[in-house]
Amino acid sequence: EDQVTQSPEALRLQEGESSSLNCSYTVSGLRGLFWYRQDPGKGPEFLFTLYSAGEEKEKERLKATLTKKESFLHITAPKPEDSATYLCAANEAAGNKLTFGGGTRVLVKP
Amino acid sequence: SQTIHQWPATLVQPVGSPLSLECTVEGTSNPNLYWYRQAAGRGLQLLFYSVGIGQISSEVPQNLSASRPQDRQFILSSKKLLLSDSGFYLCAWSPPGLAAGTQYFGPGTRLLVL
């Protein structure tokens, strides 16, 4: 059974304190690994798609990386506006469905 | 550009009442469409997905059903709501085809069943 596990469940950071979120996955032939940001009461907002091990993508203070077993979302010098829940999802090669992890709630204090 | 709409934004319904949530997508043709439910503080659970008009795949057996009467319209329904149906319902679309492109989400519907 495909599984996606995110850790930690919650992360409290001081403004400027860099950290990393982990997303480990077990899928049959990864077709894509997706990262989303979700603000309270809103739909997830797409951030990145990674397709192969070694790939990296950046957007402002966020950088996503991918290995054969896991993905990391690095937050560099976070600001309070980076506070949100970050979701990762994996797509297996056999279909067009995404399996989501439980998310990491990030709180950045000024 | 593509946009996705959901309504209503919030809904409070009594147990046993019917349900109809609507999702429409603009700016694309023949999208893949998805319904997810998100329980409080938890990840997204895929309920249904559709690759075309009248084509619905169910992921979780329950008292909900989905229909796609038009190319860019996706409806989630129930004949009798249960307390456990409360949650945040999200509709999403992705480009057509079997290859899983990025899914883009709507604003969601908050459903409270009392």
Side-chain angles (χ1 to χ4, degrees):
Chain A
E1 181 180 328
D2 298 338
Q3 281 195 317
V4 177
T5 304
Q6 291 187 246
S7 62
E9 290 187 6
L11 190 59
R12 298 168 71 97
L13 302 171
Q14 287 296 130
E15 184 172 2
E17 178 188 1
S18 301
S19 188
S20 296
L21 284 56
N22 176 265
C23 171
S24 62
Y25 61 90
T26 55
V27 297
S28 305
L30 183 72
R31 180 176 285 176
L33 190 292
F34 302 80
W35 282 97
Y36 290 85
R37 169 195 170 121
Q38 186 176 25
D39 292 307
K42 297 189 177 180
E45 173 189 348
F46 170 70
L47 292 174
F48 305 109
T49 306
L50 302 167
Y51 293 103
S52 57
E55 188 175 1
E56 298 183 353
K57 289 192 176 175
E58 289 188 67
K59 180 180 180 180
E60 297 181 352
R61 295 175 293 281
L62 302 177
K63 183 170 79 171
T65 62
L66 182 66
T67 71
K68 289 185 177 180
K69 295 290 185 183
E70 55 193 358
S71 178
F72 294 93
L73 183 66
H74 309 278
I75 310 178
T76 302
K79 297 182 178 181
E81 52 263 42
D82 294 322
S83 298
T85 295
Y86 292 86
L87 301 168
C88 74
N91 168 241
E92 61 172 336
N96 60 359
K97 298 178 290 183
L98 296 183
T99 300
F100 278 84
T104 295
R105 298 187 308 278
V106 174
L107 175 63
V108 182
K109 292 189 168 183
Chain B
S1 64
Q2 299 85 13
T3 56
I4 179 169
H5 304 280
Q6 287 186 247
W7 63 88
T10 305
L11 192 60
V12 181
Q13 291 285 92
V15 169
S17 64
L19 174 73
S20 180
L21 303 181
E22 189 166 343
C23 170
T24 59
V25 181
E26 297 177 353
T28 185
S29 296
N30 196 31
N32 297 321
L33 296 172
Y34 310 82
W35 277 113
Y36 289 87
R37 177 167 59 201
Q38 186 175 34
R42 301 184 65 179
L44 277 67
Q45 178 188 38
L46 180 63
L47 301 176
F48 302 94
Y49 72 94
S50 171
V51 299
I53 295 175
Q55 301 178 62
I56 310 292
S57 296
S58 175
E59 290 298 302
V60 182
Q62 55 205 327
N63 70 319
L64 298 173
S65 62
S67 62
R68 185 170 177 174
Q70 300 180 41
D71 181 43
R72 291 168 290 176
Q73 183 184 31
F74 207 21
I75 296 173
L76 183 69
S77 303
S78 174
K79 293 181 179 179
K80 289 185 177 182
L81 284 168
L82 307 173
L83 286 173
S84 57
D85 291 325
S86 293
F88 192 45
Y89 288 82
L90 290 156
C91 180
W93 74 274
S94 68
L98 291 179
T102 299
Q103 292 185 19
Y104 299 93
F105 287 83
T109 294
R110 176 79 56 190
L111 172 65
L112 180 60
V113 182
L114 300 175

